[in-house]
């Protein structure tokens, strides 16, 4: 319904209610209008309705007029609150068509029947819509609704947005790389040492969508709606992009009703809900969409692996980005633990205290030499390795065993200790498979350096996160105490061991 028609309807409803008030000699205290907000969905916020409830509880009103009962509420629970108010406190609630007068027993009965019928119709409509959405997903068709960044509503690629999505994935896939907050800042056009280079700057997606809607409204001769100001991108929006399986080409479907989260099941975390929405066929294979993927499957999975890292799940400060080349990456030669930055030094308490500048210069010299060799491409793993697909299939099978065990527990076929044993066993196997997949996708996000015409120059120009990832790909670095009394740097105290690559 267009804005003009909506305005006419609202005026007609208002006039009818005003006439009833005049006929009964009632004074109109206030008017409560929730424009274009359905009374059907109990999850929707209805500010005017909530204000009306508060005014009634405060004693400011003792009668309510509405066009029809379903304009007030379609929730049987809410209706019972108004029924109690009419019986216990004398509230007068009258509809303009005279069908639901809660001051009489017949009116209350009719209201309850009408609310029950309305709720039943809502449930039937929701079931039809869910079946249609599930069918679209099984067919691999793009879901209806708000378009995601990088795609049209029909599933066609919006190239300039897709380029930003690819860059987001490539930057974030690097372990200990850029933070989600830094990606949001980069998309918003901010600069700084912690913000990645080369990330396209985009207006907020909310603003872009409203501009597109207004273009359609203008073509239909409808009144334009206010376009929101361009606000900075938020971390939650970027996280939604990184979690969305559609970018890897997976068809998704999430039922309206989901089982309650099990706190003992790490796979039940909200951070994995996007992965759980991937639709699978009878053979437990992911259903692929008919649209063009924006990122490779292995890159999407590498991003999920980083998002699922325990340090990210338990981190409360939101800062998991390293600020120094070797912090947490280089190891102590005495205890094999990671060294930390301490002022201008790398430190392992009680074992090693070394000059950060000297160590970094030595390690970078070795990496530059390695990148300059002509056999660089020979050490890179094949990103199309069929083993990656096998791993995904095996992980799905192990997760299926956990789900079956949970069903058996609910049916009282197995005991709680059996469920825990199965979970522990299968989750351990899943962890091992995911670790293997991370090794096979080791170069994800490093193509700007390893595929460059001049890898050494590309390495020099790269962000700190990429440099750390390149170092970690090629070598292990262990620091030993520097000889006492010697001022010059001794390379023998830094053991740089090449990593074996197939």
């Amino acid at each position: 319904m267009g804005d003009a028609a909506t305005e006419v309807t609202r005026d007609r409803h208002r006039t009818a209610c005003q006439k009833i008030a005049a006929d009964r000699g009632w004074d109109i205290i206030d008017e409560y209008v929730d424009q274009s907000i359905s009374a059907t969905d109990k999850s929707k916020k209805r500010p005017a309705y909530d204000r009306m409830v508060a005014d009634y509880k405060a004693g400011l009103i003792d009668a309510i007029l509405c066009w029809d009962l379903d304009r007030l509420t379609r929730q049987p629970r809410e209706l019972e609150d108004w029924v109690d108010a009419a019986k216990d406190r004398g509230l007068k609630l009258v509809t303009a068509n005279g069908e639901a007068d809660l001051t009489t027993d017949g009116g209350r009965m009719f209201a309850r029947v009408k609310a029950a019928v309305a709720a039943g119709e809502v449930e039937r409509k929701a079931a039809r819509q869910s079946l249609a959405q599930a069918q679209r997903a099984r067919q691999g068709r793009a879901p209806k609704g708000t378009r995601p960044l990088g795609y049209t509503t029909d599933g066609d690629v919006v190239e300039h947005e897709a380029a930003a999505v690819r860059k987001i994935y490539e930057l974030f896939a690097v372990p200990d790389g850029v933070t989600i907050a830094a990606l949001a800042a980069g998309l918003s056009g901010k600069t700084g040492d912690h913000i990645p280079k080369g990330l396209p700057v985009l207006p907020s997606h909310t603003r872009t969508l409203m501009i597109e809607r207004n273009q359609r409204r203008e073509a239909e001769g409808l009144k334009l709606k206010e376009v929101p100001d361009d606000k900075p991108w938020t971390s939650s929006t970027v996280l939604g992009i990184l979690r969305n399986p559609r970018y890897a080409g997976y068809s998704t479907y999430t039922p309206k009703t989901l089982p309650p989260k099990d706190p003992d099941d790490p796979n039940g975390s909200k951070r994995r809900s996007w992965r759980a929405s991937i639709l699978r066929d009878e053979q437990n294979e992911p259903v692929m969409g008919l649209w063009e993927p924006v990122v490779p499957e292995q890159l999407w999975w590498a991003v999920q692996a980083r998002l699922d890292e325990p340090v990210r799940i338990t981190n409360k400060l939101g800062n998991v980005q390293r600020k120094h080349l070797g912090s947490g990456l280089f190891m102590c030669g005495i205890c094999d633990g990671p060294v930390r930055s301490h002022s201008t030094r790398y430190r392992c308490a009680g074992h090693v205290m070394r000059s950060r500048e000297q160590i970094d210069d030595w390690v970078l010299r070795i990496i530059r030499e390695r990148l300059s060799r002509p056999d660089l491409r020979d050490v890179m793993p094949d990103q199309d390795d069929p083993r990656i697909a096998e791993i995904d299939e095996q992980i799905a099978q192990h997760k299926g065993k956990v789900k079956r065990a949970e069903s058996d527990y609910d049916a009282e076929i197995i005991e709680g200790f059996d469920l825990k044993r199965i979970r522990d066993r299968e989750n351990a196997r899943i962890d091992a498979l995911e670790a293997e997949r991370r090794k096979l996708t080791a170069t994800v996000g490093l193509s700007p350096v390893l595929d460059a015409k001049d890898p050494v120059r590309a390495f020099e120009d790269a962000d700190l996160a990429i440099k750390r990832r390149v170092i970690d790909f090629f070598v292990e670095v262990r620091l030993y105490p520097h000889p006492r009394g010697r001022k010059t740097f001794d390379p023998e105290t830094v053991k740089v061991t090449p990593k074996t690559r197939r």
Side-chain angles (χ1 to χ4, degrees):
M1 184 180 292
D3 289 346
T6 301
E7 187 74 27
V8 170
T9 301
R10 189 168 62 242
D11 288 343
R12 185 173 69 251
H13 293 177
R14 181 187 292 111
T15 300
C17 291
Q18 289 172 341
K19 184 177 185 307
I20 293 175
D23 291 343
R24 299 195 179 198
W26 292 350
D27 294 327
I28 296 177
I29 303 301
D30 206 341
E31 187 177 302
Y32 307 89
V33 180
D34 280 317
Q35 184 60 42
S36 301
I37 302 178
S38 174
T40 300
D41 190 348
K42 62 183 178 181
S43 66
K44 293 284 187 182
K45 292 291 185 181
R46 302 172 64 196
Y49 178 86
D50 294 339
R51 182 166 58 87
M52 181 180 68
V53 173
D55 287 350
Y56 166 71
K57 290 180 178 179
L60 301 179
I61 57 178
D62 56 12
I64 297 175
L65 278 168
C66 57
W67 169 257
D68 199 321
L69 184 64
D70 61 9
R71 299 299 183 186
L72 177 68
T73 181
R74 295 183 182 180
Q75 304 297 325
R77 289 181 182 177
E78 289 181 352
L79 175 63
E80 288 304 318
D81 290 338
W82 294 119
V83 168
D84 290 343
K87 289 194 302 182
D88 301 339
R89 296 178 56 182
L91 172 73
K92 299 178 180 64
L93 196 157
V94 182
T95 61
N97 56 23
E99 294 177 343
D101 186 344
L102 298 189
T103 61
T104 68
D105 57 350
R108 289 191 291 270
M109 180 184 72
F110 184 87
R112 289 183 173 119
V113 170
K114 186 170 184 178
V117 170
E121 179 56 33
V122 167
E123 291 176 359
R124 285 191 293 273
K125 181 179 179 181
R128 291 194 300 268
Q129 291 175 339
S130 295
L131 287 174
Q133 291 169 358
Q135 183 181 39
R136 288 182 67 89
R138 286 193 296 270
Q139 294 171 345
R141 297 162 61 195
K144 292 184 176 181
T146 303
R147 73 171 185 85
L149 184 73
Y151 287 113
T152 67
T153 53
D154 295 330
D156 296 329
V157 174
V158 181
E159 189 49 50
H160 74 283
E161 293 181 354
V165 172
R166 293 188 196 99
K167 192 67 175 178
I168 289 171
Y169 271 81
E170 290 171 357
L171 290 168
F172 189 79
V174 180
D176 290 332
V178 296
T179 63
I180 294 176
L183 290 171
L187 286 172
S188 304
K190 297 180 181 179
T191 58
D193 293 339
H194 68 292
I195 297 175
K197 302 174 184 177
L199 186 60
V201 177
L202 294 177
S204 68
H205 198 45
T206 301
R207 177 179 172 84
T208 298
L209 292 176
M210 183 54 71
I211 291 174
E212 292 174 351
R213 288 170 187 154
N214 272 344
Q215 290 172 347
R216 293 192 293 270
R217 296 178 70 85
E218 185 176 22
E220 297 172 6
L222 300 176
K223 181 181 177 181
L224 302 186
K225 297 202 171 183
E226 182 179 357
V227 176
D229 295 334
D230 189 17
K231 296 181 179 180
W233 285 75
T234 64
S235 295
S236 60
T237 302
V238 175
L239 176 60
I241 293 172
L242 291 171
R243 280 294 190 189
N244 195 339
R246 287 190 60 192
Y247 291 120
Y250 296 126
S251 185
T252 62
Y253 176 70
T254 304
K256 292 287 186 181
T257 55
L258 293 174
K261 176 185 171 184
D262 185 345
D264 296 326
D265 180 8
N267 293 330
S269 168
K270 286 183 178 180
R271 292 172 179 263
R272 299 175 185 246
S273 60
W274 274 106
R275 185 184 310 183
S277 72
I278 297 175
L279 189 66
R280 295 182 177 272
D281 59 21
E282 292 78 4
Q283 287 73 43
N284 209 28
E285 292 290 334
V287 175
M288 304 306 295
L290 300 178
W291 57 86
E292 177 186 346
V294 169
V295 299
E297 290 181 69
Q298 64 267 25
L299 177 56
W300 189 84
W301 283 106
V303 165
Q304 306 319 299
R306 188 184 172 201
L307 287 171
D308 291 340
E309 290 174 350
V311 67
R312 301 195 63 83
I313 296 175
T314 58
N315 176 52
K316 302 298 183 184
L317 300 178
N319 183 16
V320 294
Q321 187 173 13
R322 302 292 184 180
K323 296 180 176 138
H324 301 291
L325 189 69
S327 179
L329 177 61
F330 301 164
M331 294 179 290
C332 170
I334 306 300
C335 68
D336 252 7
V339 299
R340 307 296 178 186
S341 294
H342 182 75
S343 184
T344 61
R345 300 176 181 272
Y346 289 125
R347 175 175 179 266
C348 178
H351 296 154
V352 173
M353 180 75 80
R354 302 296 304 271
S355 166
R356 194 170 66 238
E357 182 179 2
Q358 289 181 339
I359 300 297
D360 288 353
D361 285 346
W362 179 247
V363 173
L364 289 173
R365 183 185 305 178
I366 293 173
I367 294 299
R368 292 189 196 100
E369 188 278 331
R370 182 67 190 89
L371 290 172
S372 66
R373 297 182 193 174
D375 65 341
L376 183 62
R377 295 289 304 177
D378 296 339
V379 302
M380 295 175 61
D382 182 6
Q383 294 299 299
D384 295 324
D385 193 323
R387 176 60 182 154
I388 295 176
E390 293 176 3
I391 290 174
D392 291 341
E393 181 180 356
Q394 291 173 8
I395 288 176
Q397 290 172 353
H398 290 301
K399 289 182 177 179
K401 291 180 180 179
V402 173
K403 294 298 182 185
R404 287 193 293 275
E406 291 171 344
S407 297
D408 290 344
Y409 175 73
D410 292 338
E412 300 183 355
I413 298 174
I414 62 175
E415 300 293 335
F417 68 86
D418 291 318
L419 175 59
K420 183 179 185 304
R421 175 178 55 81
I422 294 171
R423 275 180 175 163
D424 291 345
R425 181 190 68 203
E426 299 305 320
N427 285 331
R429 292 171 178 173
I430 290 171
D431 290 342
L433 287 166
E434 288 182 339
E436 182 182 354
R437 182 167 56 196
R438 284 195 294 273
K439 289 182 180 179
L440 291 174
T441 58
T443 58
V444 167
L446 300 186
S447 56
V449 172
L450 302 184
D451 290 340
K453 292 182 179 179
D454 186 346
V456 175
R457 177 63 181 272
F459 176 76
E460 295 291 349
D461 294 339
D463 299 314
L464 176 63
I466 297 292
K467 289 179 179 177
R468 285 171 53 87
R469 188 64 189 91
V470 170
I471 292 171
D472 188 44
F473 176 71
F474 281 110
V475 298
E476 289 181 347
V477 179
R478 287 179 173 79
L479 309 184
Y480 293 87
H482 196 275
R484 292 181 177 273
R486 185 180 300 179
K487 294 183 179 180
T488 58
F489 173 71
D490 183 359
E492 296 298 323
T493 62
V494 181
K495 186 176 181 180
V496 181
T497 308
K499 289 186 177 180
T500 303
R501 297 293 175 191
R502 60 191 181 100

